[in-house]
Amino acid sequence: MSGSASVRPAPVPLPDLTVRPGAPFGLYIHVPFCATRCGYCDFNTYTPAELGGATPAGWLTALRTELALAAARLDAVPDVSTVFVGGGTPSLLGAEGLAEVLDAVRDHFALAPGAEVTTESNPESTSPAFFAGLRSAGYTRVSLGMQSTAAHVLVALDRVHSPGRAIDAAREARAAGFEHVNIDLIYGTPGESDDDLLRSADAAIGAGVDHVSAYALIVEDGTALARKVRRGEMPAPDDDVLARRYELLDRRLADAGLDWYEVSNWSRPGAECRHNIGYWAGGQWWGAGPGAHGFVGATRWWNVKHPNAYALALGERRLPVADFESLDENTSHVEDVMLRVRLRSGLPTALLTGAERDAAAQVVADGLLRANADRLVLTDRGRLLADAVVRTLLA
């Protein structure tokens, strides 16, 4: 992708956006900056050499304009129940920069009482002063990318932080007054052992976090990891190993009082990430920043990807929309089933067609779903085969 500032964006106009009443409304804000690129990452992020002159200050100016245009574009401006600042590496902005992000939100949107305000952070760009600044600014939740405490696993993933730094950062966040601290793990990296994963889980539990997200390593096309696998320098993740690691992790977290509430997420009671639940349970959100996706009413859109194209569009006071789609009733139904079945709260049977209920009965008989009053909930084995469950229901 070109980093040249001379490349002009070609934003497209959005159709009318009608906010669905009663559905939670959130804001996702994408920070596209990273100091280095991790080998497995295919997110819309840019290292300094790839920015083509784009700067955090220019990004923030453009973000303020997008939020102003967003508030003007909606038919009604709902109170915002959740804000999630992701990336990229938001912590590269520092506490002052992240405070400015939240100030920009408040300039154009009202935060609902008790709103959840989250930022992702790389452990290496945090400190006790950083977390204290976030709390003063109004952030309520922090998510730390740890991936593993095993040095050789971090090397395989091209992670630059030291093995123990994420745990120290989690303790610092707790000491600064953050009740909700999340740690991200990746399991199934070639060279990782069962004990490596369990030690990582134990370290997170010992740091007092109340939420853990854990994802199986996926080899994404176009990444450095994919090139290594293609050249035979590293084996592809093994599906049987991934399943065993998931079961090991689930048992260890459950024993510590963190229960699954979504296939890849565990928390203590009341510590679920409300912003992400909004994605899975039919909420709405405005996605701001380069490459961010939004969903309001029946319209989903995504922004131009490069920070320069993003800033150029907003410099002309045009929303930086690369394209959009209007979801018809069938597409909305398919996505609703795909997402809600992943939640521990379950898939309401009322959402299913007659044929889908017949298919669900067979999945229940196969031991992958259990009927719980008027909902269908994945069994432990079903969580390992969630995608296959969805395919069967929607066949």
Side-chain angles (χ1 to χ4, degrees):
M1 181 177 297
S2 173
S4 172
S6 65
V7 176
R8 299 211 29 104
V12 301
L14 279 174
D16 291 339
L17 298 177
T18 302
V19 178
R20 284 179 280 115
F25 189 89
L27 287 175
Y28 172 75
I29 297 172
H30 188 72
V31 181
F33 309 109
C34 276
T36 61
R37 185 178 301 282
C38 298
Y40 59 90
C41 179
D42 72 338
F43 293 167
N44 188 48
T45 63
Y46 300 86
T47 62
E50 299 167 329
L51 284 170
T55 65
W59 167 85
L60 182 58
T61 297
L63 175 70
R64 288 184 180 278
T65 302
E66 184 180 6
L67 293 173
L69 294 175
R73 189 69 179 76
L74 296 170
D75 70 319
V77 183
D79 286 354
V80 173
S81 58
T82 63
V83 178
F84 196 103
V85 184
T89 310
S91 49
L92 288 178
L93 301 177
E96 287 188 8
L98 286 167
E100 289 187 60
V101 169
L102 198 49
D103 286 343
V105 169
R106 292 190 180 107
D107 285 344
H108 303 290
F109 291 87
L111 296 183
E116 176 190 87
V117 184
T118 306
T119 184
E120 295 179 337
S121 298
N122 185 307
E124 290 296 328
S125 49
T126 64
S127 67
F130 170 82
F131 292 118
L134 291 185
R135 287 295 294 137
S136 296
Y139 286 84
T140 66
R141 187 181 193 101
V142 65
S143 181
L144 298 165
M146 181 172 84
Q147 320 316 344
S148 177
T149 56
H152 63 281
V153 173
L154 296 177
V155 169
L157 294 172
D158 293 326
R159 295 286 294 182
V160 297
H161 64 80
S162 58
R165 175 57 204 152
I167 298 305
D168 291 341
R171 293 193 175 105
E172 291 165 3
R174 296 280 293 165
F178 278 96
E179 180 181 0
H180 300 307
V181 179
N182 176 63
I183 274 183
D184 283 349
L185 297 175
I186 288 178
Y187 60 91
T189 302
E192 176 195 62
S193 68
D194 291 352
D195 285 343
D196 289 332
L197 177 61
L198 292 176
R199 280 192 289 267
S200 297
D202 288 344
I205 293 164
V209 304
D210 62 355
H211 190 291
V212 171
S213 302
Y215 306 100
L217 180 66
I218 296 175
V219 180
E220 301 283 3
D221 289 342
T223 62
L225 177 62
R227 291 189 290 273
K228 289 179 181 178
V229 170
R230 188 170 60 248
R231 293 193 297 259
E233 298 171 10
M234 185 177 288
D238 181 274
D239 288 343
D240 290 336
V241 171
L242 293 176
R244 185 177 74 249
R245 297 267 163 79
Y246 181 91
E247 292 174 326
L248 288 172
L249 180 63
D250 180 57
R251 286 197 294 271
R252 185 60 57 94
L253 293 175
D255 288 345
L258 286 86
D259 290 322
W260 79 281
Y261 70 95
E262 191 274 340
V263 168
S264 298
N265 289 272
W266 293 256
S267 76
R268 299 192 187 282
E272 299 86 354
C273 180
R274 285 158 43 200
H275 185 84
N276 286 342
I277 288 176
Y279 293 152
W280 300 316
Q284 303 171 100
W285 65 95
W286 190 283
H293 287 56
F295 180 56
V296 172
T299 301
R300 178 165 52 215
W301 71 94
W302 45 98
N303 284 346
V304 296
K305 286 190 171 184
H306 198 278
N308 284 328
Y310 174 76
L312 280 168
L314 288 160
E316 298 172 351
R317 298 197 65 80
R318 293 188 294 167
L319 285 171
V321 176
D323 209 347
F324 71 90
E325 58 183 339
S326 297
L327 276 61
D328 59 24
E329 186 175 343
N330 181 65
T331 303
S332 295
H333 171 74
V334 167
E335 294 195 359
D336 218 13
V337 172
M338 287 175 60
L339 294 172
R340 287 178 183 264
V341 79
R342 295 178 62 87
L343 293 168
R344 185 169 189 154
S345 57
L347 172 66
T349 53
L351 290 179
L352 300 179
T353 66
E356 289 165 355
R357 291 183 191 185
D358 290 342
Q362 183 57 54
V363 179
V364 170
D366 291 340
L368 303 182
L369 285 173
R370 71 174 186 275
N372 184 4
D374 59 349
R375 291 175 179 264
L376 297 167
V377 181
L378 290 169
T379 63
D380 290 347
R381 181 166 167 261
R383 278 188 280 158
L384 296 173
L385 299 169
D387 291 344
V389 169
V390 169
R391 287 194 297 272
T392 301
L393 293 177
L394 295 173

